[in-house]
Amino acid sequence: MITPKEILNKQFGFNEFRFHQQQIIESVLAKKDTAVLMPTGGGKSLCYQIPALLFDGLTIVISPLIALMKDQVDGLRLNGVAAAFLNSTLSANEQAQVMNNIRNQQLKLLFIAPEKIFINEQQFLNFLKPLNVSLFAIDEAHCISQWGHDFRPEYLQLAVLKKHFPAVPIIALTATADELTRKDILEKLNLQSPKTFISSFNRENIHYYIEPKRNWFAYLLKYLNEHKEDSGIIYCLSRASTESLADDLTENGFSAKPYHAGLEKQLRDQHQELFIKDKVKIIVATIAFGLGIDKSNVRYVFHVDLPKNIESYYQETGRAGRDAIKSDAILFYGRGDLVKLKKFCEIENNPAQSKIMLDKLNKMSRLCETQTCRRKFMMNYFGEEYPNYCGSCDVCLSKYEKFDGTIVAQKALSTVARLDQRYGVNFVIDFLRGSKSEKILDWQMKLKTYGVGADIGKEEWRQYLNDLIVMGYLDQEKGQYPVLKLTGKSKLVLKGEEKVILVKSVTRKEVEQKEQHYEVELLSLLKILRNRLAEQAQVPAYIIFSDTTLIELAEYLPQNFSELKKISGFGEIKLQRYGKVFLDVVLNYCKKNNLQSRILNKTPKRQRKTGASRSPEKSETKMETFELFKSGKSVAEIAAIRNLAASTIENHLAFYIEKGKIKVIELVSQEKIQQIEKAIQLHGDLSLSVLKNELGEKISYGEIRLVINHLKLGITDGKQ
Ligand code: ADP
Ligand code: ZN
């Protein structure tokens, strides 16, 4: 009998299963109801596609994403899979043809929208009953839950599937679901003792940046100028702003189109199509855009306005980098948006729901305002643990400069005192900056500290006040009115008896550019070929091959069919169909440049770094480091053995220190521990760079991190 692995290799051209794909497929093959949580780009599709090919009958895939169905089906057909879709975009004739194919058992997979299944008194269900249905796959399963952020009432009807087809297994798949939604999915679908598989939500290849919403247009232009070749999405809150921003960008020489639900359908589809086919690089959209987007080479996602909750933010940013190549997610954060969005949280006659929405919005703003690793914050939000440092978000990449902030602190503290400790952060900042707002009363304007902080920007002040609170020089009341109060320590500063060190974030470390191992010129030749083939087949380029496949070709330079087989994405059918043309381009290039095959450099996927994206606790890669360490190897030795950076190894070990499984003294000398602890007492543990500055060359970032984690032992539970 043919195995799932063989199908993976032969039909899809991939070497190894990812995440829990294999276990999931086995569960489905054993006819168990199965629930799958996997991040976008994780590879959910294969979890039902491979069983579909192994089962005798028909697999029905239910998806709300009509726009996506055609691409999915085209993609499958290119890999030699008999698939079709039924939705309103087909003519009556075409629909009849598909029905015929189902009746004649010529299909392995059918994609269908939920409303279509229940049309005409379940006529379609009755049509299916005598046929051999082997599996139902419910994609975007969170749509069934009111607790999710994307509820679709038509999904509720899916509850009856189990009644009509008690013996047919169901696989429910989603990339986003908190615990409540997760439970809801299982219940609403009536799944029978389901097996649930949850993969880590970490999208390692996405780098997160949250920037103050000041001069954001200039920032955007600069970024776009530096990424002219890349595709990206810019999300805005309002329809009008998508149009005006798209116009502005076009005026500045970029190829950009707007997308929102208010555009005429034809125009909307046209813009989407242009984007998917790489003919327009930038789409400026409301959140209406994206659910139907499977484009794998989106290199960046901007949020000009604040998303409503972390789920949305995660999902929208998640549209970047489905091909596992490094991508950026950049959000412009301003408090004004928060105020605006609060209004949207009010759901009429539903205080409970309103409260949930408001709470989710507040968490979103906390993510933007805290100075902890953005990735950690998000992972914790989704119930996952994560180390304190990811190395690829704006917080982790920022370098801080400390300065004597005593005067700044005195200005702030004396303002709080003069305003009788009766105002919150926003008012104090406006007052310090000499705002003409009518909220500030005449008598207050006459106070001595009115306007003394005008030379410092709003955001910078917010940062300093935050830091003063963290350091205990100010207190913020809890509850509805977070008024600022003085503390016992305030007086020392006001009397000049205590110096205050503040940190200013100055530069960001240059994002470490991964060395490019591939032939850049060859890659662009391959892209040209891919575009030509896509044009001929009338499908988006990434359906022919993903960027990953082209990059592998340009890196490993296969010289014949058997080497080509080792390139990810070349299954048997694609090898036959496209092998020769791609090989010709590679061979030509190699001849001209006197290059040889590098296929021997290609290690099986499993041994590469991708493993680190799994759930930290279950992560095999961390375990592997841990075990090597326990066998007596040093950090440097493990780094060499595993072909990973020493800092990565230290990161792994830091995790076990926080868990109490390794003692810090096993890694850092007693003397250094004492020095580091002293520095932490002085500066807190918010900024590694500040600590590093203080401690000097002899002590490494890694060592500091290890001690920080050691101090956390038993204090944190990893949850926000
Ligand atoms: P999801 O639906 O979870 O967002 P997809 O199923 O669309 O993700 O998969 C994302 C990309 O990863 C696709 O291009 C797919 O072909 C590829 N992929 C999936 N599984 C594997 C695997 N085991 N090895 C290599 N590539 C894979
Ligand atoms: Zn980080």
Side-chain angles (χ1 to χ4, degrees):
M1 206 192 96
I2 184 158
T3 63
K5 182 78 187 291
E6 281 165 341
I7 298 214
L8 180 77
N9 300 150
K10 295 217 170 89
Q11 198 119 25
F12 294 97
F14 300 136
N15 296 324
E16 302 287 340
F17 281 115
R18 284 187 191 158
F19 293 116
H20 301 105
Q21 278 175 334
Q22 178 149 17
Q23 295 99 299
I24 294 164
I25 290 167
E26 278 162 12
S27 161
V28 174
L29 288 175
K31 300 203 172 216
K32 293 206 174 79
D33 286 345
T34 307
V36 174
L37 260 107
M38 210 187 263
T40 308
K44 285 184 286 302
S45 320
L46 287 184
C47 298
Y48 57 80
Q49 288 170 355
I50 290 181
L53 291 172
L54 286 165
F55 281 135
D56 268 343
L58 175 68
T59 288
I60 309 251
V61 185
I62 294 158
S63 159
L65 314 176
I66 291 183
L68 210 71
M69 290 181 185
K70 183 170 181 306
D71 287 349
Q72 281 172 319
V73 166
D74 285 342
L76 280 166
R77 286 186 182 158
L78 280 185
N79 277 322
V81 178
F85 65 90
L86 263 184
N87 65 33
S88 47
T89 66
L90 293 184
S91 69
N93 252 340
E94 289 167 325
Q95 298 199 23
Q97 182 63 45
V98 173
M99 297 289 271
N100 237 340
N101 289 344
I102 301 175
R103 218 174 280 125
N104 300 333
Q105 313 198 351
Q106 285 164 338
L107 288 183
K108 294 310 296 177
L109 280 128
L110 175 74
F111 291 78
I112 189 166
E115 55 274 19
K116 195 92 192 158
I117 285 205
F118 300 102
I119 209 161
N120 295 342
E121 308 266 329
Q122 309 189 343
Q123 196 184 337
F124 185 73
L125 279 186
N126 293 331
F127 163 75
L128 285 179
K129 267 192 196 158
L131 300 169
N132 186 4
V133 175
S134 43
L135 173 66
F136 286 104
I138 318 279
D139 211 358
E140 311 290 335
H142 60 277
C143 292
I144 204 170
S145 172
Q146 265 134 309
W147 305 118
H149 57 286
D150 193 19
F151 174 54
R152 290 168 185 243
E154 63 274 19
Y155 255 62
L156 288 174
Q157 301 185 65
L158 296 173
V160 303
L161 282 181
K162 263 287 153 203
K163 220 162 62 201
H164 290 277
F165 298 88
V168 177
I170 294 181
I171 176 171
L173 310 112
T174 173
T176 135
D178 51 39
E179 216 166 313
L180 210 56
T181 313
R182 222 177 282 165
K183 258 179 66 190
D184 219 23
I185 293 174
L186 306 183
E187 267 172 36
K188 295 257 163 63
L189 285 174
N190 281 320
L191 298 191
Q192 306 299 304
S193 4
K195 287 194 80 156
T196 302
F197 295 90
I198 302 174
S199 302
S200 169
F201 270 46
N202 184 19
R203 297 284 310 276
E204 203 182 352
N205 62 315
I206 300 182
H207 292 201
Y208 299 94
Y209 303 87
I210 297 181
E211 306 287 351
K213 197 170 177 174
R214 238 187 289 132
N215 299 331
W216 62 268
F217 189 63
Y219 183 117
L220 181 66
L221 284 184
K222 179 162 181 286
Y223 183 94
L224 295 179
N225 263 318
E226 287 162 4
H227 296 81
K228 278 212 158 94
E229 292 300 306
D230 296 339
S231 293
I233 307 173
I234 304 174
Y235 282 108
C236 305
L237 194 59
S238 80
R239 296 174 178 185
S241 47
T242 65
E243 294 190 23
S244 64
L245 183 54
D247 284 347
D248 291 345
L249 291 176
T250 308
E251 253 169 51
N252 279 279
F254 295 100
S255 89
K257 291 275 184 243
Y259 184 104
H260 60 75
L263 283 182
E264 211 178 302
K265 183 168 172 354
Q266 206 190 347
L267 195 61
R268 204 166 64 204
D269 289 350
Q270 190 200 344
H271 290 177
Q272 173 162 326
E273 187 82 3
L274 287 169
F275 178 65
I276 288 180
K277 298 212 161 145
D278 284 341
K279 290 183 179 146
V280 155
K281 292 286 180 200
I282 305 166
I283 203 99
V284 188
T286 60
I287 52 167
F289 181 80
L291 266 181
I293 291 306
D294 204 4
K295 188 175 165 60
S296 68
N297 62 339
V298 175
R299 287 278 76 81
Y300 57 85
V301 169
F302 273 90
H303 280 91
V304 168
D305 302 301
L306 188 67
K308 290 192 189 74
N309 48 54
I310 295 180
E311 285 90 342
S312 305
Y313 174 65
Y314 176 80
Q315 197 177 47
E316 284 147 26
T317 52
R319 304 213 161 98
R322 291 179 82 125
D323 50 13
I325 297 170
K326 184 202 162 262
S327 310
D328 295 325
I330 301 163
L331 166 90
F332 297 120
Y333 176 70
R335 305 260 318 170
D337 285 354
L338 189 62
V339 178
K340 227 186 298 173
L341 281 171
K342 275 189 178 156
K343 289 189 208 118
F344 289 107
C345 293
E346 292 291 324
I347 294 163
E348 230 174 291
N349 299 326
N350 197 338
Q353 187 86 8
S354 306
K355 194 172 163 297
I356 289 177
M357 296 295 165
L358 192 61
D359 187 47
K360 283 184 188 282
L361 175 63
N362 283 333
K363 293 234 172 76
M364 182 68 222
S365 78
R366 280 238 319 264
L367 164 66
C368 299
E369 286 179 8
T370 51
Q371 285 298 309
T372 49
C373 169
R374 314 282 187 201
R375 192 180 304 274
K376 179 187 174 68
F377 192 104
M378 271 195 283
M379 291 304 99
N380 288 173
Y381 180 80
F382 291 121
E384 270 182 50
E385 291 192 36
Y386 196 84
N388 293 327
Y389 178 88
C390 77
S392 50
C393 73
D394 61 295
V395 176
C396 291
L397 288 169
S398 288
K399 201 167 148 187
Y400 294 93
E401 187 183 86
K402 52 181 178 167
F403 67 100
D404 183 344
T406 310
I407 293 179
V408 173
Q410 283 169 341
K411 287 178 182 173
L413 300 182
S414 75
T415 295
V416 170
R418 278 164 213 267
L419 290 170
D420 293 333
Q421 312 186 52
R422 286 173 49 206
Y423 292 90
V425 172
N426 289 322
F427 189 92
V428 169
I429 292 177
D430 282 348
F431 182 90
L432 278 162
R433 301 190 73 247
S435 154
K436 300 274 177 292
S437 157
E438 52 200 38
K439 276 188 282 182
I440 301 176
L441 308 172
D442 280 348
W443 68 266
Q444 291 172 328
M445 289 194 182
K446 296 201 182 91
L447 294 174
K448 220 173 100 192
T449 58
Y450 175 69
V452 290
D455 56 326
I456 295 176
K458 250 187 181 173
E459 293 311 313
E460 219 174 319
W461 265 122
R462 190 177 302 285
Q463 187 61 50
Y464 295 149
L465 290 179
N466 243 335
D467 289 348
L468 290 172
I469 295 169
V470 171
M471 290 188 283
Y473 293 115
L474 273 176
D475 204 10
Q476 191 172 27
E477 300 231 297
K478 304 256 167 341
Q480 211 177 351
Y481 303 103
V483 166
L484 291 176
K485 299 270 181 200
L486 297 179
T487 69
K489 278 171 89 178
S490 315
K491 290 199 188 68
L492 299 175
V493 177
L494 287 169
K495 284 196 246 158
E497 287 169 8
E498 188 159 320
K499 216 166 102 174
V500 178
I501 303 293
L502 288 172
V503 291
K504 189 190 271 181
S505 88
V506 271
T507 50
R508 188 151 305 154
K509 281 181 242 166
E510 275 301 298
V511 180
E512 311 125 52
Q513 283 290 334
K514 276 219 188 87
E515 258 182 85
Q516 278 169 355
H517 294 292
Y518 58 82
E519 300 291 323
V520 176
E521 196 191 324
L522 175 57
L523 182 65
S524 56
L525 293 174
L526 294 168
K527 281 190 176 167
I528 293 169
L529 172 61
R530 178 176 67 173
N531 281 348
R532 217 177 61 221
L533 296 170
E535 197 77 35
Q536 280 165 13
Q538 300 208 3
V539 296
Y542 64 84
I543 296 276
I544 303 279
F545 282 119
S546 70
D547 284 11
T548 317
T549 301
L550 300 195
I551 288 174
E552 284 198 9
L553 284 171
E555 177 169 2
Y556 300 117
L557 310 177
Q559 304 288 304
N560 52 46
F561 265 65
S562 81
E563 292 186 356
L564 198 56
K565 250 192 197 160
K566 302 197 171 118
I567 300 295
S568 170
F570 272 98
E572 278 178 353
I573 305 274
K574 282 197 177 167
L575 208 58
Q576 278 172 27
R577 194 169 289 178
Y578 301 123
K580 180 151 183 341
V581 279
F582 279 93
L583 201 54
D584 281 350
V585 173
V586 177
L587 287 174
N588 245 328
Y589 180 88
C590 288
K591 208 165 136 204
K592 243 171 63 194
N593 296 283
N594 220 349
L595 295 169
Q596 263 128 47
S597 168
R598 298 183 197 141
I599 200 79
L600 289 178
N601 293 349
K602 186 162 160 54
T603 42
K605 276 218 160 72
R606 219 177 1 185
Q607 289 168 21
R608 294 204 225 151
K609 232 193 116 205
T610 49
S613 65
R614 298 182 201 170
S615 158
E617 213 158 13
K618 297 188 198 100
S619 156
E620 285 159 26
T621 184
K622 277 204 183 85
M623 277 297 266
E624 208 172 314
T625 297
F626 180 67
E627 270 153 24
L628 284 167
F629 180 75
K630 282 284 162 193
S631 77
K633 299 267 185 302
S634 72
V635 170
E637 282 166 344
I638 302 172
I641 293 170
R642 300 209 53 205
N643 199 14
L644 292 171
S647 59
T648 307
I649 302 298
E650 279 171 343
N651 243 336
H652 292 171
L653 296 174
F655 176 77
Y656 288 103
I657 285 191
E658 200 173 333
K659 288 255 160 300
K661 295 199 176 135
I662 297 178
K663 294 208 180 66
V664 68
I665 190 77
E666 295 177 67
L667 281 151
V668 188
S669 73
Q670 186 61 40
E671 188 194 325
K672 283 184 179 174
I673 294 176
Q674 276 169 358
Q675 283 175 309
I676 297 170
E677 283 186 356
K678 226 168 105 188
I680 292 174
Q681 273 170 15
L682 212 63
H683 301 289
D685 64 2
L686 285 179
S687 165
L688 281 183
S689 314
V690 169
L691 293 170
K692 175 82 171 98
N693 255 350
E694 169 87 22
L695 290 160
E697 279 319 308
K698 291 223 173 79
I699 292 178
S700 72
Y701 275 108
E703 288 168 328
I704 299 173
R705 200 151 53 220
L706 292 170
V707 173
I708 289 179
N709 278 36
H710 161 68
L711 293 175
K712 287 219 163 84
L713 180 60
I715 301 171
T716 58
D717 62 0
K719 299 262 160 19
Q720 291 288 331

